[in-house]
Amino acid sequence: MSTTIVVGWTPDEYGEVAVERALDEARLRDADLVLVNGSRGDAYVDEHFATAKQLAELEQRLAGSGVVHEVRQKVGTDVAEAILAVVDETRADLVVLGIKRRSPVGKLLMGSVAQKVLLGAECAVLTVKPPR
C-alpha cells in the first residue's frame, strides 16, 4: 500500500514552506503528494486561491522534484472540509499545513482551517511556519 501526504497549499509563503516540508517528508517516506488548494467562493478575490499561472508554476516545480504528485483545486466548499475529504479519500498518512505566527492573544485562536484539520484528521498533522 502506498503512502500519501496531503498538503493544504496556498500561493504564499505559508504554502511554500508546507510544500518544501511535504517534499522532504515524501522523499523520506517514499510517499505520493496530493496538494489541495481551495476557496469557499464567497468573495470576489481570494488571495489564497491560486491562479492558473500559479498552478502551472507549482506543477512545473513539482514535476522537477521526482515525487509523484497531484494538485486539486476546489471551489464552493469549506477549505478545511475539502482537505479532510481528500485525507479520507486517499487514506493519507500525514497532512502538512503552513501556519502563521500568532501573538499571545492570537494563539488562543489558531487559523480556522488549521484548527479544523487538526481536530478532524484521522492521521498525523504537521504544521510548519516560514522562517523569520
Side-chain angles (χ1 to χ4, degrees), residues 99-117:
I99 62 171
K100 297 178 182 179
R101 286 179 165 64
R102 303 268 183 205
S103 68
V105 172
K107 288 179 184 176
L108 293 173
L109 297 172
M110 188 180 306
S112 62
V113 171
Q115 186 173 14
K116 286 179 184 177
V117 172

Side-chain angles (χ1 to χ4, degrees), residues 3 15 17 19 24 34 57 77 80 87 94 121-122 127-128 130:
T3 301
V17 71
V19 168
D24 291 343
V34 180
E57 290 169 354
T77 185
V87 168
L94 177 67
E122 295 293 329
T127 59
V128 292

